[in-house]
Amino acid sequence: MRTIEGLTVIVDLDTNQGVEVSDIGRHIPIPKDTNTDYRFSAQNNTHTKTNPINPIFMEQPKGPSFTVKNDHLIKWVNWEFHIKHDPRAGMIISRAMFEDPDSGEFRSVMYKGMVSEIFVPYMDPTEAWYYKTYLDAGDYGLDLWTRALDPVNDCPRNAYYMDGVLVTSDGTPFIQSNVICVFERYANDIAWRHTESSVVGEEVREVRPKVTLVARMITSIGNYDYILDWIFQNDGLIRIEVGLSGIAVVKGTTYKNMEEVPEEEDLYGTLVSENSIGVIHDHYIAFYLDMDVDSPNNSFVKVDIRKQETSPGESPRRSYLKTTRNVAKTEKDAQIKLNMYQPSEYHVINPSKKTRVGNPVGYRLVPGSNAASLLDSEDPPQRRAAFTNNQIWVTPYNQSEVWAGGLFVWQSHGDDTLATWSNRDRSIENKDIVLWYVLGFHHIPCQEDFPIMPTVTSGFDLKPVNFFNRNPILGIPPHFENDLPVCQATGHA
Ligand SMILES: [Cu+2]
């Protein structure tokens, strides 16, 4: 948070020679350290009054409901999947299978899912800033920047921890302990419910609690922290969430107050404290999702939702919604930019397998809040990160197409990205396909982000769509008072 602004040294790494020193920020003071210490021990001044929350945690009187085999194979309710960690991708979930409650058969959902690349372009084109356009996974490696999780605050007490085995740059192996945690979460949410009160005296009320299983890793890449969660539900849904926290990069400035800034001057961000500008930037997280819905051969279906007008005299209604299923034949059919006024559902289906009533079994990609890159497609960072040109892509499985920004991103020019592969327009129908989802955030810093930002979260779901013959969790029991620990609330008004 105390930046030495405008001092740039260009080094030729091939010759190990300094090429140029530029010092254009000599007139910019180094910001004071006032209010930059975010440690709890530093928050004892009398200016803040934050009312505390009493200690809170979840009880599991009979222990967790998941088991871990061979350190990596997780079994929880009807789910079974494998977790490993990877120096570049962080956490990798593979062989995710669901035991069908009707048939008892273990059915494949996803062969492999992981973060493929992260792109963080800063939006300041001036000399000391234009190059700050990071490709975090390829440049740094998500697991190489992961440290042990805080056993009480990063994950709950009922969490199971996994170590990571990494190598140093000279090939020496070392163990990074407690880098992934797995835990059950109960936040008093509801899995399904209904009250039937139309018949007097015969009220039916059925409610089922929602408990989820979370696999979490957190990487702290320099200034930023990415909280990466894979959340499994017993109804077959997988939610993938990314939380952003940590320290927003600031730029030094002579300004201490917005009143001093000429109206026409572009700050490239927000004055977040005296002499500190939080520079505007984006975050994009590209997910690699090798779906295997009931077998490797799947198809991608865009279910378009459109307004249909009725004919005159046909109905009192003028319009209604109609869906049209379009099976993507080749890669370009599956290059998708999200649009609220031309909406679609995005299904990965198994065309060879149908439900009892004849629908193809599938899983649906459900986007959450998202952001698209607005950079010029020929801007060098955008060419290198051309995987952000669309939010959804589908490619045929190819073992060399794993890293959305290319295998070697250092000094890349964008000739080995997901966009290059996808533009080959290969056939993707009834093939082993990889679904890609690009999750984005525009980050216009605000004063609350200083000196450390409250977590911002977004994500997406992989949701069964006609995968089961009916609601797969009709059979789960409700909670009963007798099953729960005996404790009394001691709250006072
Ligand atoms: Cu940010």
Side-chain angles (χ1 to χ4, degrees):
M1 279 301 176
R2 306 194 65 202
T3 178
I4 301 167
E5 191 54 48
L7 177 62
T8 311
V9 182
I10 298 177
V11 180
D12 184 333
L13 291 175
D14 290 329
T15 61
N16 264 342
Q17 300 276 308
V19 176
E20 196 185 309
V21 177
S22 159
D23 188 4
I24 55 172
R26 259 174 289 192
H27 61 294
I28 297 173
I30 294 174
K32 291 201 173 63
D33 67 357
T34 321
N35 296 326
T36 58
D37 192 339
Y38 54 85
R39 288 172 296 184
F40 187 62
S41 57
Q43 312 306 315
N44 52 6
N45 67 61
T46 53
H47 304 297
T48 69
K49 185 177 183 298
T50 313
N51 297 323
I53 295 168
N54 287 330
I56 187 166
F57 61 96
M58 192 185 97
E59 281 273 6
Q60 289 187 292
K62 294 180 182 168
S65 301
F66 67 91
T67 58
V68 184
K69 223 170 109 188
N70 300 329
D71 295 337
H72 292 282
L73 189 71
I74 312 287
K75 278 184 178 232
W76 175 72
V77 296
N78 293 41
W79 279 109
E80 182 181 299
F81 58 91
H82 186 274
I83 299 183
K84 76 162 187 171
H85 85 125
D86 177 89
R88 183 161 173 170
M91 181 166 60
I92 297 180
I93 306 290
S94 59
R95 301 294 309 276
M97 291 187 287
F98 198 92
E99 186 183 0
D100 192 304
D102 285 337
S103 66
E105 157 203 19
F106 268 92
R107 299 174 60 190
S108 160
V109 173
M110 185 183 73
Y111 183 72
K112 181 163 145 180
M114 62 176 201
V115 173
S116 171
E117 191 52 271
I118 296 180
F119 175 45
V120 190
Y122 282 78
M123 302 298 175
D124 180 339
T126 60
E127 184 178 344
W129 279 78
Y130 73 87
Y131 59 86
K132 296 191 181 190
T133 58
Y134 305 103
L135 290 163
D136 280 332
D139 281 339
Y140 299 102
L142 302 192
D143 231 21
L144 295 174
W145 289 77
T146 297
R147 296 292 177 269
L149 294 158
D150 176 324
V152 181
N153 295 290
D154 274 330
C155 314
R157 292 197 297 187
N158 54 328
Y160 169 83
Y161 288 88
M162 293 169 71
D163 296 341
V165 181
L166 295 165
V167 286
T168 59
S169 49
D170 68 1
T172 314
F174 70 99
I175 289 174
Q176 194 70 272
S177 60
N178 298 354
V179 289
I180 290 172
C181 69
V182 179
F183 59 91
E184 284 167 289
R185 177 156 70 192
Y186 175 50
N188 292 86
D189 291 327
I190 291 166
W192 62 262
R193 85 173 311 286
H194 186 57
T195 305
E196 192 88 48
S197 53
S198 52
V199 184
V200 177
E202 291 193 31
E203 185 177 282
V204 174
R205 186 185 63 193
E206 291 284 327
V207 193
R208 298 295 181 273
K210 180 191 270 192
V211 178
T212 58
L213 183 80
V214 182
R216 169 173 293 170
M217 75 155 304
I218 303 178
T219 180
S220 302
I221 304 174
N223 55 298
Y224 245 90
D225 295 62
Y226 291 92
I227 303 156
L228 300 161
D229 285 354
W230 285 72
I231 304 160
F232 292 81
Q233 294 187 183
N234 57 356
D235 59 4
L237 183 142
I238 307 173
R239 170 161 295 166
I240 294 108
E241 275 187 2
V242 179
L244 311 181
S245 189
I247 298 172
V249 178
V250 295
K251 173 180 175 162
T253 174
T254 55
Y255 303 125
K256 284 180 165 19
N257 191 291
M258 284 304 291
E259 285 175 356
E260 301 159 20
V261 184
E263 205 176 300
E264 66 282 4
E265 186 170 334
D266 189 350
L267 288 184
Y268 308 111
T270 308
L271 193 65
V272 292
S273 182
E274 289 78 5
N275 305 112
S276 297
I277 294 167
V279 176
I280 296 169
H281 57 277
D282 287 344
H283 301 261
Y284 297 97
I285 300 99
F287 284 87
Y288 171 103
L289 306 159
D290 181 351
M291 303 300 288
D292 275 9
V293 179
D294 267 331
S295 85
N297 282 357
N298 289 168
S299 294
F300 179 73
V301 183
K302 201 154 86 56
V303 182
D304 293 330
I305 305 164
R306 296 292 179 270
K307 179 176 78 172
Q308 179 74 29
E309 288 174 5
T310 55
S311 320
E314 182 189 342
S315 163
R317 289 278 299 275
R318 296 276 296 264
S319 60
Y320 62 101
L321 293 188
K322 186 179 169 176
T323 58
T324 311
R325 297 172 68 85
N326 294 302
V327 179
K329 306 277 183 216
T330 62
E331 290 175 287
K332 285 188 182 171
D333 296 336
Q335 296 181 349
I336 287 158
K337 292 177 167 59
L338 298 177
N339 178 346
M340 277 172 66
Y341 286 92
Q342 302 269 309
S344 304
E345 283 195 358
Y346 309 102
H347 297 188
V348 173
I349 61 147
N350 185 326
S352 319
K353 190 158 176 216
K354 302 265 195 310
T355 58
R356 191 181 71 243
V357 297
N359 290 305
V361 301
Y363 255 73
R364 180 184 155 205
L365 169 72
V366 189
S369 72
N370 206 340
S373 179
L374 306 177
L375 295 178
D376 191 294
S377 61
E378 290 305 310
D379 199 347
Q382 187 62 32
R383 287 171 55 180
R384 283 158 46 84
F387 59 88
T388 60
N389 292 352
N390 296 296
Q391 287 75 55
I392 297 173
W393 311 73
V394 178
T395 57
Y397 172 79
N398 180 320
Q399 64 172 7
S400 67
E401 297 175 3
V402 176
W403 309 109
L407 180 58
F408 300 110
V409 299
W410 284 356
Q411 301 183 27
S412 71
H413 296 279
D415 38 23
D416 178 29
T417 71
L418 171 56
T420 325
W421 316 329
S422 168
N423 282 335
R424 291 184 199 139
D425 208 18
R426 296 161 291 188
S427 167
I428 52 171
E429 189 180 2
N430 201 6
K431 290 228 153 51
D432 186 4
I433 51 176
V434 177
L435 174 67
W436 303 77
Y437 183 67
V438 183
L439 174 62
F441 302 76
H442 295 303
H443 188 177
I444 293 136
C446 57
Q447 282 190 249
E448 288 82 357
D449 295 345
F450 182 92
I452 195 154
M453 60 178 282
T455 306
V456 172
T457 303
S458 188
F460 62 99
D461 294 342
L462 298 170
K463 183 179 190 296
V465 60
N466 304 320
F467 185 77
F468 300 111
N469 275 314
R470 56 181 187 150
N471 180 342
I473 49 168
L474 281 181
I476 62 163
H479 282 167
F480 293 102
E481 190 67 42
N482 290 347
D483 295 335
L484 302 173
V486 179
C487 60
Q488 297 282 316
T490 57
H492 46 82

